């Protein structure tokens, strides 16, 4: 909040509890400076992905209505930080529109997005869970995916061949873990565009992992319509 928001918040608190208002302008100015400093990282309002919203004035109202003690900046900042943690716990970071191989730029983009969510400038993207199903359903789905890779191979043989077939080994691992298979979709990242069944690339060389955008596309494809 900036000083304007804090001043409005304090004026609201004084209307609700006039007995605790500062005695003179000097005291009021000193209180405003203190509160503005301590609440500089608190949003005056922010949305919530489930429809609940943060409003600093409601934190003030709730404290004055329920507590016999004078209100302090922490009575506003503490519930705000609880609200912020709840939002971030429900948020899934979308792949930033920067090259994921540029780690510094990628991390900066993620930090910018999270800061915007924390301050209410952007709405959190909620996590979309795949249907849980039963244990039998998950085992059957894993077995169906493994069957696509050929007949049964003893574990000892599969382990011996793993280093010679890294792609197949990774696909089997994903199937057993019940995770989406990125090989089933082409990579949508503009600097890669690896075709279905091929590994992602960086500067024309195969990567040891997949671009985040491809992982997102694979998960989206496996969700029911």
């Amino acid at each position: 909040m900036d000083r304007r928001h804090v001043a409005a918040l304090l004026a609201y608190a004084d209307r609700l509890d006039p007995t605790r208002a500062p005695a003179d302008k000097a005291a009021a100015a000193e209180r405003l400076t203190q509160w503005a400093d301590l609440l500089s990282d608190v949003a005056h309002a922010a949305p919530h992905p489930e429809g609940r919203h943060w409003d600093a004035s409601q934190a003030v109202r709730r404290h004055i209505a329920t507590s016999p003690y004078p209100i302090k900046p922490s009575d506003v900042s503490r519930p705000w930080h609880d609200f912020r943690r709840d939002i971030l716990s429900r948020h899934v970071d979308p792949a930033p529109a920067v090259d994921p191989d540029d780690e510094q730029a990628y991390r900066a983009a993620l930090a910018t997005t999270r800061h915007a969510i924390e301050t209410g400038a952007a709405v959190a993207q909620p996590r979309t869970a795949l249907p849980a199903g039963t244990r039998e359903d998950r085992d059957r789905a894993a077995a169906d995916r493994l069957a696509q890779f050929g007949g049964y191979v003893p574990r000892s043989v599969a382990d011996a061949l793993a280093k010679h077939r890294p792609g197949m080994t990774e696909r089997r691992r994903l199937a057993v873990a019940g995770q989406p298979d990125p090989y089933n979709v082409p990579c949508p990242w503009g600097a890669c565009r690896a075709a279905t069944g091929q590994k992602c690339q960086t500067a024309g060389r195969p990567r040891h992992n997949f671009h985040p955008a491809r992982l997102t596309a694979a998960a989206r494809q496996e969700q029911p319509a």
Side-chain angles (χ1 to χ4, degrees), residues 9-191:
L9 194 67
L10 290 172
Y12 179 65
D14 291 343
R15 287 199 300 272
L16 295 181
D17 188 5
T19 62
R20 300 190 186 277
D24 52 48
K25 290 185 177 180
E30 182 179 355
R31 182 183 64 165
L32 174 58
T33 298
Q34 179 195 48
W35 278 58
D37 181 32
L38 295 174
L39 298 183
S40 60
D41 61 343
V42 175
H44 72 283
H48 191 282
E50 291 191 351
R52 295 180 285 111
H53 298 282
W54 162 259
D55 187 331
S57 65
Q58 294 308 301
V60 169
R61 181 182 183 280
R62 187 178 306 110
H63 177 84
I64 293 176
T66 60
S67 175
Y69 302 104
I71 189 167
K72 308 182 298 297
S74 61
D75 296 320
V76 178
S77 62
R78 187 170 54 251
W80 157 250
H81 289 299
D82 291 341
F83 180 89
R84 185 187 66 176
R85 280 193 297 271
D86 182 62
I87 287 181
L88 291 179
S89 71
R90 301 168 186 271
H91 171 69
V92 57
D93 290 307
V98 298
D99 186 352
D101 294 319
D102 186 344
E103 183 176 352
Q104 183 175 359
Y106 196 85
R107 289 181 178 274
L110 287 178
T112 298
T113 299
R114 292 180 183 179
H115 179 70
I117 291 170
E118 291 175 356
T119 58
V123 178
Q125 301 297 316
R127 300 177 186 275
T128 302
L130 293 174
T134 64
R135 176 63 179 272
E136 292 76 11
D137 292 337
R138 294 194 295 271
D139 291 345
R140 189 180 303 112
D144 291 342
R145 285 176 59 183
L146 287 172
Q148 298 174 7
F149 305 139
Y152 171 74
V153 177
R155 181 63 180 269
S156 59
V157 176
D159 290 343
L161 294 175
K163 64 180 180 180
H164 302 293
R165 305 188 305 172
M168 180 62 70
T169 300
E170 176 66 4
R171 300 189 76 177
R172 286 182 175 275
R173 185 192 68 79
L174 293 171
V176 172
Q179 298 178 359
D181 186 349
Y183 285 105
N184 287 337
V185 297
C187 181
W189 179 247

